[in-house]
């Protein structure tokens, strides 16, 4: 007999990065053991980094196994019709103790041609920010390939890029082609298409412990960059016990849900739902199942679970595909 579905949690996949720190542990309760942990992959089917269930009867099973066995039940009818047995999103937390490299992601067409991959449209929700923490997003003014290359060669690229101060609760939506970098002193939740394709443009001439610089992808990036000025910051409502739309794009919908006390939720079964607990704690009750989640937890609610109760006091990101 197949096991009954329930809200699923997964073992975090922790990644050391040259720019990483220790805030994933101190702020988001991740079991890191390194002083340079930059990323916690919360939900992933990227090859070599497939999430494994951490709770309940299905503990130890990979997300790919579950989808293979029960695609409609996990993914939802619409998602399965559109993507087959692929999990189309990747969920992460990032801790930038230092600036990340300046980078860009290709669109679906380029990524398919070059890497047989999805493109990488993504969004950031700022969960913590040191004073004066900033991000780089796009160009200050419309630019061109020629101007960009001149500044890149002169090591003055930052001078033509738009730098924005970031504070907790800020959301930045990055369409493919947007040149960007998370600045030092930020912890962000990242929601993106399932893709690990990044073109690194400039890395501030940093060297690792072995004295090596990281590879740049200047030529690959030239056709991927959007040289026009873009508006990336998203404003949104914060009504209590309401799914306030933050980002609604072809690849995912993200809502901000300030939970107070109790909320009955009903879903159509068309898509899975993911909850990321940004602040506070809450419970999910479903068909005899009841579990408490704390800040930093990420929960996959399979699509076949279409009625459940959220209770507690928390700030939650709610993500699905519409």
């Amino acid at each position: 007999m197949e096991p009954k579905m329930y809200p699923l949690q997964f073992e975090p996949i922790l990644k050391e990065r040259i720019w990483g720190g220790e805030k994933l542990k101190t702020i988001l309760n991740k079991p890191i053991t390194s002083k340079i942990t930059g990323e916690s992959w919360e939900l992933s089917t990227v090859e070599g980094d497939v999430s494994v269930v951490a709770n309940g009867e299905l503990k130890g099973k990979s997300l790919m196994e579950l989808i293979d066995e029960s695609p409609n039940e996990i993914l939802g009818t619409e998602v399965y019709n559109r993507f087959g047995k692929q999990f189309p999103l990747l969920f992460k937390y990032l801790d930038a103790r230092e600036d990340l490299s300046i980078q860009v992601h290709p669109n679906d067409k380029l990524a398919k041609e070059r890497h047989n991959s999805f493109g990488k449209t993504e969004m950031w929700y700022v969960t913590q920010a040191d004073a004066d923490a900033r991000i780089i997003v796009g160009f200050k003014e419309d630019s061109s390939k020629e101007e960009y290359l001149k500044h890149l060669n002169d090591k003055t690229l930052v001078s033509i890029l738009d730098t924005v101060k970031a504070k907790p609760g800020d959301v930045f939506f990055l369409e493919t082609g947007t040149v960007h970098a998370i600045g030092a002193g930020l912890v962000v939740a990242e929601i993106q298409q399932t893709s690990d394709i990044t073109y690194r443009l400039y890395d501030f001439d940093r060297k690792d412990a072995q004295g090596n610089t990281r590879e740049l992808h200047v030529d690959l990036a030239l056709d991927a960059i959007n040289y026009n000025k873009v508006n990336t910051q998203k404003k949104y409502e914060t009504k209590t016990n309401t799914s306030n739309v933050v980002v609604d794009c072809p690849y995912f919908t993200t809502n901000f849900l300030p939970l107070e006390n109790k909320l009955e939720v009903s879903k159509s079964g068309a898509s899975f739902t993911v909850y990321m607990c940004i602040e506070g704690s809450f419970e999910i009750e479903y068909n005899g199942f009841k579990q408490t989640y704390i800040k930093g937890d990420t929960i996959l609610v399979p699509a076949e679970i279409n009625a459940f109760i959220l209770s507690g006091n928390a700030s939650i990101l709610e993500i699905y595909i519409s």
Side-chain angles (χ1 to χ4, degrees):
M1 193 172 108
E2 284 192 14
K4 288 199 177 87
M5 290 293 171
Y6 56 90
L8 299 165
Q9 276 183 285
F10 295 82
E11 300 288 350
I13 300 167
L14 303 171
K15 303 275 189 182
E16 287 192 343
R17 297 289 188 247
I18 195 170
W19 41 261
E22 298 179 88
K23 285 182 184 173
L24 294 179
K25 181 178 183 178
T26 56
I27 291 174
L28 295 173
N29 306 296
K30 300 299 168 189
I32 70 172
T33 55
S34 154
K35 292 183 186 298
I36 55 162
T37 304
E39 302 185 21
S40 175
W41 290 24
E42 301 287 292
L43 255 180
S44 166
T45 54
V46 173
E47 190 176 348
D49 287 302
V50 177
S51 295
V52 172
V53 178
N55 69 319
E57 192 181 338
L58 296 168
K59 184 174 180 175
K61 279 214 167 200
S62 78
L63 180 52
M64 286 303 299
E65 285 178 276
L66 294 180
I67 291 170
D68 195 48
E69 292 164 8
S70 311
N72 275 308
E73 291 79 1
I74 295 284
L75 296 172
T77 51
E78 293 294 324
V79 176
Y80 182 38
N81 285 343
R82 185 172 160 194
F83 296 101
K85 290 184 176 182
Q86 297 181 90
F87 191 71
L89 299 178
L90 173 58
F91 297 82
K92 302 177 184 175
Y93 282 110
L94 286 79
D95 167 22
R97 181 181 49 84
E98 296 180 2
D99 294 336
L100 272 68
S101 63
I102 297 173
Q103 54 191 240
V104 73
H105 304 302
N107 61 25
D108 283 345
K109 184 171 180 291
L110 268 183
K112 181 75 176 165
E113 285 170 8
R114 293 177 176 175
H115 314 283
N116 195 29
S117 168
F118 289 126
K120 190 171 170 184
T121 295
E122 63 187 338
M123 66 158 277
W124 299 327
Y125 177 94
V126 178
T127 62
Q128 188 270 333
D130 293 352
D132 297 324
R134 285 169 160 68
I135 66 162
I136 287 170
V137 274
F139 293 90
K140 282 180 183 170
E141 304 295 340
D142 288 357
S143 185
S144 65
K145 199 175 285 191
E146 294 71 29
E147 183 185 37
Y148 155 76
L149 281 172
K150 179 184 183 303
H151 283 279
L152 185 66
N153 292 330
D154 293 346
K155 299 189 189 301
T156 54
L157 180 58
V158 176
S159 71
I160 61 169
L161 298 178
D162 200 10
T163 305
V164 182
K165 190 169 177 179
K167 63 184 187 303
D170 282 352
V171 169
F172 298 90
F173 176 59
L174 305 166
E175 295 190 78
T176 53
T178 305
V179 175
H180 62 273
I182 297 173
L186 289 171
V187 177
V188 305
E190 183 174 272
I191 297 146
Q192 58 160 96
Q193 289 175 270
T194 290
S195 168
D196 202 27
I197 309 298
T198 295
Y199 298 154
R200 195 178 293 124
L201 310 178
Y202 183 56
D203 198 30
F204 306 100
D205 302 310
R206 275 186 290 215
K207 293 182 179 175
D208 64 16
Q210 286 73 46
N212 301 313
T213 55
R214 294 195 293 173
E215 184 186 1
L216 300 180
H217 312 97
V218 174
D219 291 341
L220 282 172
L222 281 177
D223 293 337
I225 293 171
N226 175 4
Y227 294 96
N228 296 321
K229 181 178 169 62
V230 291
N231 182 22
T232 59
Q233 196 158 358
K234 291 287 186 182
K235 302 295 182 193
Y236 56 95
E237 305 255 350
T238 56
K239 291 176 186 167
T240 306
N241 288 353
T242 301
S243 294
N244 301 279
V245 177
V246 182
V247 168
D248 185 13
C249 74
Y251 305 105
F252 55 84
T253 297
T254 299
N255 300 324
F256 180 72
L257 173 56
L259 179 67
E260 280 189 16
N261 301 322
K262 205 170 202 177
L263 179 65
E264 293 186 14
V265 179
S266 60
K267 298 285 181 182
S268 69
S271 169
F272 60 86
T273 303
V274 171
Y275 290 112
M276 301 179 85
C277 186
I278 300 300
E279 201 66 64
S281 65
F282 71 100
E283 286 181 344
I284 297 180
E285 291 178 61
Y286 165 73
N287 197 22
F289 172 96
K290 191 174 185 179
Q291 191 162 331
T292 300
Y293 306 99
I294 60 171
K295 184 175 179 175
D297 283 347
T298 301
I299 306 100
L300 171 64
V301 179
E304 80 162 12
I305 298 176
N306 56 17
F308 50 94
I309 295 170
L310 305 179
S311 57
N313 288 281
S315 296
I316 304 167
L317 297 181
E318 176 186 57
I319 305 100
Y320 50 86
I321 293 177
S322 56

